[in-house]
Amino acid sequence: MLAYSTVGTPDYIAPEVLLKKGYGMECDWWSIGAIMYEMLVGYPPFYSDDPMSTCRKIVNWRNHLKFPEEAKLSPEAKYLISKLLCNVDQRLGTKGVDEIKAHPWFEGTEWEKLYQMKAAFIPEVNDELDTQNFEKFEEADDQIQTSAKSGPWRKMLSSKDINFVGYTYKNFEIVNDHQLPGIAELKKKSTKSERPSIKSLFEDESVEAPNQPVKGSFLSLLPPKLDASEQ
């Protein structure tokens, strides 16, 4: 069964997701390839300053997937990434995860003992307010930095939440890009779903007499309407 919804972080979205032609679990192996590239090189394979340019690069991955010489990747690493960042029908993992686990780059990996092995890097965390392991970004405008630590909403957040201002997930929707047919464009959602009323939550639409509350319904607890003569 194929899915058609567009979800994911732009840097790691597979091309078949952006092209909206339907996708399966193979898109996750593409994301694994993008994450592997970032961990070995230092930045995502199709990085750009804006999401739209990133999406264009992903759709045209044949022209933009390059391995910098300074990263000094092994031939096995390049081959594995190339077999993950490719067309769906040629992507490693389409026949199961064993295809990936058997790749030469993972030679010597004891998969059954992963949970017992000591991690290669263990981050130092002093307390719940410690943000030293997060990358620091320069603020483009001093006003933005000031407003992030002030305002009426400031009282609604705990002290530990303030330390992570700026790491909030942004929700985007996909619309067609008229400049490049076949590719989608990321835009932030502006519509909000309406909150359901109490009546809509407890009303049974299958009852023929909508004015009569269902037995055991919350509506039966409400006082009856007054007649015009009683008002």
Side-chain angles (χ1 to χ4, degrees):
M1 181 180 294
L2 297 178
Y4 293 87
S5 59
T6 306
V7 294
T9 305
D11 286 316
Y12 314 108
I13 297 180
E16 61 266 25
V17 177
L18 295 173
L19 292 173
K20 305 171 75 171
K21 295 181 179 180
Y23 60 89
M25 60 176 241
E26 299 83 9
C27 69
D28 293 332
W29 301 130
W30 172 284
S31 300
I32 291 294
I35 293 172
M36 177 181 174
Y37 183 103
E38 182 176 9
M39 295 180 71
L40 295 177
V41 176
Y43 51 85
F46 308 103
Y47 173 78
S48 183
D49 290 334
D50 65 278
M52 192 63 237
S53 297
T54 298
C55 292
R56 288 194 179 99
K57 288 183 178 181
I58 291 174
V59 172
N60 297 288
W61 58 269
R62 293 180 183 84
N63 299 325
H64 295 281
L65 180 59
K66 303 181 185 303
F67 300 98
E69 293 183 4
E70 58 270 19
K72 298 181 179 179
L73 300 184
S74 66
E76 292 81 9
K78 291 181 181 179
Y79 180 63
L80 176 55
I81 293 175
S82 298
K83 292 297 291 182
L84 294 173
L85 301 180
C86 61
N87 284 337
V88 178
D89 55 350
Q90 300 174 342
R91 194 172 302 162
L92 210 61
T94 55
K95 297 179 181 179
V97 68
D98 290 334
E99 278 188 315
I100 300 176
K101 294 166 70 174
H103 191 275
W105 193 75
F106 290 111
E107 185 179 1
T109 302
E110 300 180 86
W111 296 100
E112 67 281 357
K113 297 182 179 179
L114 285 181
Y115 287 109
Q116 287 76 42
M117 297 169 59
K118 184 178 180 180
F121 171 73
I122 301 177
E124 179 184 351
V125 181
N126 297 324
D127 52 56
E128 62 180 2
L129 304 181
D130 188 2
T131 60
Q132 64 174 315
N133 295 294
F134 288 86
E135 186 176 358
K136 299 189 185 315
F137 297 92
E138 294 183 2
E139 296 290 347
D141 192 340
D142 292 336
Q143 184 177 359
I144 297 178
Q145 186 174 6
T146 303
S147 62
K149 296 183 179 181
S150 61
W153 58 269
R154 171 69 168 78
K155 299 178 180 179
M156 301 172 60
L157 301 177
S158 63
S159 58
K160 65 179 181 180
D161 292 327
I162 296 300
N163 288 318
F164 294 93
V165 169
Y167 291 97
T168 303
Y169 169 73
K170 303 296 190 302
N171 196 7
F172 292 92
E173 63 180 353
I174 298 295
V175 297
N176 291 329
D177 179 15
H178 301 290
Q179 298 179 357
L180 186 60
I183 186 174
E185 181 180 1
L186 292 175
K187 284 192 175 181
K188 194 170 182 180
K189 288 186 177 181
S190 57
T191 58
K192 294 183 178 179
S193 58
E194 296 182 358
R195 296 180 62 184
S197 63
I198 293 180
K199 185 176 181 180
S200 65
L201 291 175
F202 294 93
E203 216 172 27
D204 187 355
E205 297 180 354
S206 63
V207 179
E208 295 183 359
N211 293 330
Q212 297 296 327
V214 182
K215 184 177 180 181
S217 168
F218 175 80
L219 294 177
S220 63
L221 302 178
L222 300 177
K225 294 183 178 179
L226 296 176
D227 297 331
S229 59
E230 296 177 354
Q231 294 180 349

